[in-house]
Amino acid sequence: MSVNEYDAIVVGSGISGGWAAKELSERGLKVLMLERGRNIEHIKDYKNAHKEAWDYPHHDVPTQQMKLDYPVLRRDYPLNESTFGMWANEKDAPYTEDKRFDWYRGYHVGGRSLLWGRQSYRFNEQDFLANAQEGIAVDWPIRYEDLAPWYDYVERFAGISGSSEGLDVLPDGQFQPPIPLNCVEKDVAARIKKAFAGTRHLIHSRCANITEPKPEQGRTNCQYRAKCWLGCPFGGYFSTQSATLPAALKTGNLTLRPFSVVSRVLYDKDKKRATGVEVIDAETNQVIEYKSKLVFLNASAFNSTWLLMNSATDVWEGGLGSSSGELGHNVMDHHFRVGASADVEGYLDKYTFGRRPAGFYIPRYRNWHKDKRDYLRGFGYQGSASRQGWQKDIREMGIGAELKAGLSEPGHWGIGMSAFGEILPYHDNRIYLNHQVKDKWGLPVLAMNVEIKQNELAMRKDMQADAMEMFEAAGLKNVKGYDSDYAPGMGIHEMGTARMGRDAKSSVLNKHNQVWDAPNVFVTDGACMTSASCVNPSLTYMALTARAAAFAVEELKRGNL
């Protein structure tokens, strides 16, 4: 085997790429993991992990120059000093918008596994059935029971804190003890349960922050610093750097190559197999070919699809995997930025300990069991209660002892929650290659043509009204609903574009995440999703990746790939 030959190539080093590298290398394959951005080493390169707002030149708010340089990132919270440089450079890697799409990308080793919200929920049985039952898009080629053992497997390794609730809408998993609800959340949970006769449940968040140490991975339990997006030097949450990458490197079978822009999958049209990938060195522009028996695409949903579109164009005009006409279509996200807030009276003798990295979750209840709405699917809520700190007195005119006393006393309690709703897989929500615009390396960029439709707009009315209804039923005061500016992409849960299915004529991937047109190419990131559910999708990517990697190695041993 030459220096440029491997058993498997993994494109991308985020949540799914890290899992692919771990599973393939632990199963004995020589693996090359390619990352288009810079390396970030665990602990050593978490430059801002111990900083506070006052340690930044502009107190962690974006400068005018940052806003000019990052016109997309400035649309929401990701543009700030503390995470500056952790999001993709928009000048080097632009994209175009037929319709507004907020695409927040992490181009570095670890990808968005260093930046994610860590909410980790399983799809339920109905999530895999709904498309077929409702005549939407295509049927998932797998069912919950196909993925359940793999959910178990990845939860145990990643470390998911949560509580078992026995709810069919939100299957229980292999949990560490949950991050506790505070006193207000516990009481509001009890009031909601009583007011709605047990049909709605306010429960602990399920998140990839460990509450018990995992010494075998060198990870210490969460320190309640709420600085997860700066990289955790304690390994308190699951990321490529803290968990999967060390496991893969430990085998001696993994080679990691950062600054590697993969430009296309190399395809042998006679053998109908991929033979490797072409890479542009991001620093020198040198073009290199790497050969392999397996290729795992884990570059994030849209970039994996971009790579398919830019490959084998001499065979298919639309690229590798385009024969069904579905490549690039069926874009999904989770629509949110709608919910409610309220004031909570009392509890003035109570305060919180530390800074929790999670709050509460209210699982879906709409279009569930006997509930029927004028739209399809449903939504869940994420939220928290907290007590106002020193910020409450900023606008006040007190001075001297009066001001000091005011700043040392916490304010009243408040509570808020945002709904996350499912977006249906519409064929005309799509991305495609824009050959008129090129990136820093001369490659065509993606164009976005995505919108939410009537089903989501109808759902949003309930997402706001129900939040207000629950807070009012719980006896809270000054209840205010909101529905603020949402554009597709803002959920940072982009999915679809290379969906799984049962038929090569209507899907890009089969039930094992193999590209129908090249069975030794696997896509296991968000691109593969056939529908979106309303829960955060990362745990499902992990389970699908581990499952596909195990299958790929066995097929390779059998000589089928």
Side-chain angles (χ1 to χ4, degrees):
M1 195 177 283
S2 76
V3 291
N4 283 11
E5 285 188 36
Y6 295 85
D7 295 318
I9 291 172
V10 176
V11 181
S13 61
I15 282 176
S16 65
W19 268 101
K22 170 189 176 294
E23 294 301 306
L24 295 169
S25 59
E26 285 184 341
R27 293 170 188 273
L29 272 55
K30 295 296 182 182
V31 181
L32 173 66
M33 184 158 72
L34 298 167
E35 168 54 53
R36 66 179 296 149
R38 65 191 170 105
N39 192 14
I40 294 179
E41 288 191 35
H42 187 43
I43 304 176
K44 181 174 82 74
D45 290 335
Y46 301 155
K47 303 297 186 187
N48 294 333
H50 296 289
K51 289 183 180 179
E52 297 294 343
W54 51 81
D55 293 317
Y56 300 99
H58 305 94
H59 289 199
D60 202 22
V61 298
T63 65
Q64 295 305 308
Q65 188 61 49
M66 287 164 65
K67 291 178 181 178
L68 286 173
D69 291 341
Y70 291 83
V72 175
L73 213 56
R74 69 176 291 181
R75 297 172 185 172
D76 204 4
Y77 71 90
L79 188 61
N80 52 54
E81 288 184 294
S82 58
T83 59
F84 190 61
M86 294 288 282
W87 298 97
N89 185 311
E90 294 176 25
K91 290 184 177 178
D92 291 350
Y95 67 96
T96 61
E97 298 167 277
D98 298 349
K99 295 171 183 158
R100 178 181 166 184
F101 192 97
D102 295 9
W103 192 21
Y104 302 143
R105 301 157 286 166
Y107 290 167
H108 49 258
V109 171
R112 290 178 298 191
S113 80
L114 290 175
L115 298 158
W116 68 310
R118 305 166 311 287
Q119 296 288 296
S120 301
Y121 304 96
R122 296 184 178 204
F123 276 32
N124 60 46
E125 290 184 12
Q126 186 62 27
D127 287 325
F128 293 96
L129 296 168
N131 275 5
Q133 291 177 348
E134 297 164 357
I136 300 293
V138 296
D139 186 16
W140 276 90
I142 59 173
R143 294 293 182 250
Y144 176 76
E145 52 267 29
D146 295 313
L147 214 51
W150 295 102
Y151 276 133
D152 286 347
Y153 178 72
V154 299
E155 284 166 344
R156 288 193 189 101
F157 181 84
I160 307 299
S161 59
S163 56
S164 294
E165 302 288 341
L167 301 173
D168 55 1
V169 75
L170 196 72
D172 293 328
Q174 306 298 319
F175 299 138
Q176 290 196 350
I179 293 172
L181 299 175
N182 61 39
C183 57
V184 169
E185 293 164 351
K186 288 177 182 176
D187 284 358
V188 171
R191 294 178 196 175
I192 288 175
K193 184 176 182 180
K194 182 179 179 182
F196 295 94
T199 60
R200 302 186 192 181
H201 307 268
L202 189 156
I203 66 173
H204 301 85
S205 288
R206 295 175 179 175
C207 65
N209 289 75
I210 56 176
T211 52
E212 296 176 338
K214 294 181 78 68
E216 73 282 6
Q217 295 179 18
R219 296 171 60 195
T220 303
N221 51 289
C222 177
Q223 302 294 297
Y224 281 30
R225 303 184 327 131
K227 293 179 179 292
C228 308
W229 55 92
L230 305 180
C232 182
F234 304 94
Y237 70 87
F238 171 85
S239 67
T240 296
Q241 273 83 343
S242 71
T244 48
L245 182 56
L249 289 171
K250 187 178 178 181
T251 67
N253 289 330
L254 179 71
T255 301
L256 170 63
R257 191 185 197 282
F259 295 114
S260 301
V261 179
V262 182
S263 53
R264 61 192 177 103
V265 175
L266 302 172
Y267 180 76
D268 185 324
K269 59 186 176 184
D270 296 322
K271 295 180 179 178
K272 297 183 178 178
R273 297 285 189 276
T275 59
V277 299
E278 179 185 85
V279 167
I280 300 173
D281 187 292
E283 296 178 299
T284 67
N285 285 333
Q286 179 187 5
V287 177
I288 311 163
E289 289 189 0
Y290 291 99
K291 302 292 187 180
S292 67
K293 300 167 188 171
L294 297 175
V295 177
F296 268 68
L297 301 187
N298 300 95
S300 80
F302 290 0
N303 283 318
S304 290
T305 294
W306 177 93
L307 190 49
L308 290 171
M309 289 175 168
N310 206 50
S311 303
T313 51
D314 57 329
V315 183
W316 299 278
E317 185 180 355
L320 181 60
S322 66
S323 60
S324 65
E326 294 299 332
L327 186 65
H329 293 269
N330 314 297
V331 173
M332 296 168 286
D333 183 30
H334 287 129
H335 63 109
F336 72 125
R337 293 171 67 92
V338 56
S341 63
D343 295 331
V344 183
E345 291 183 334
Y347 305 92
L348 297 181
D349 60 338
K350 301 288 193 300
Y351 199 63
T352 53
F353 174 78
R355 304 172 185 163
R356 296 176 309 166
F360 64 77
Y361 188 69
I362 297 178
R364 173 185 169 184
Y365 51 85
R366 288 300 185 200
N367 288 320
W368 197 257
H369 294 311
K370 295 180 181 178
D371 184 82
K372 295 289 182 274
R373 312 303 292 172
D374 61 352
Y375 53 83
L376 299 174
R377 315 292 166 94
F379 52 88
Y381 291 97
Q382 297 176 26
S384 65
S386 60
R387 196 168 178 186
Q388 274 191 315
W390 57 268
Q391 292 99 329
K392 69 181 171 45
D393 288 300
I394 289 293
R395 296 190 190 93
E396 296 191 1
M397 300 302 291
I399 58 172
E402 182 186 344
L403 174 62
K404 289 180 181 178
L407 290 175
S408 66
E409 284 292 321
H412 67 266
W413 284 85
I415 191 169
M417 60 185 180
S418 293
F420 286 74
E422 180 167 355
I423 293 178
L424 296 177
Y426 302 104
H427 179 79
D428 56 352
N429 274 347
R430 70 184 188 110
I431 59 174
Y432 61 93
L433 293 188
N434 182 346
H435 291 277
Q436 306 308 309
V437 180
K438 301 295 172 66
D439 68 11
K440 180 181 178 181
W441 298 277
L443 299 168
V445 306
L446 281 177
M448 313 294 189
N449 192 326
V450 183
E451 64 183 359
I452 59 171
K453 300 184 187 291
Q454 190 55 46
N455 196 73
E456 292 75 44
L457 295 172
M459 188 188 296
R460 290 180 78 81
K461 294 175 183 175
D462 272 4
M463 290 159 80
Q464 178 176 325
D466 286 7
M468 296 174 67
E469 178 189 37
M470 281 186 272
F471 284 165
E472 287 166 351
L476 308 183
K477 305 300 181 184
N478 195 25
V479 176
K480 295 180 180 177
Y482 67 89
D483 185 346
S484 55
D485 174 43
Y486 167 77
M490 291 181 103
I492 322 185
H493 294 167
E494 63 269 20
M495 291 172 273
T497 67
R499 71 183 179 197
M500 298 170 72
R502 297 178 179 273
D503 189 334
K505 293 177 181 177
S506 59
S507 59
V508 180
L509 311 172
N510 69 10
K511 65 180 179 180
H512 295 294
N513 296 81
Q514 295 168 280
V515 176
W516 291 105
D517 299 330
N520 64 336
V521 178
F522 292 77
V523 184
T524 65
D525 58 18
C528 77
M529 302 293 276
T530 310
S531 66
S533 180
C534 66
V535 299
N536 302 55
S538 295
L539 187 71
T540 299
Y541 304 165
M542 296 187 212
L544 286 168
T545 302
R547 176 178 178 268
F551 174 81
V553 173
E554 288 305 309
E555 285 292 280
L556 199 59
K557 288 178 180 176
R558 294 187 188 107
N560 294 335
L561 297 178

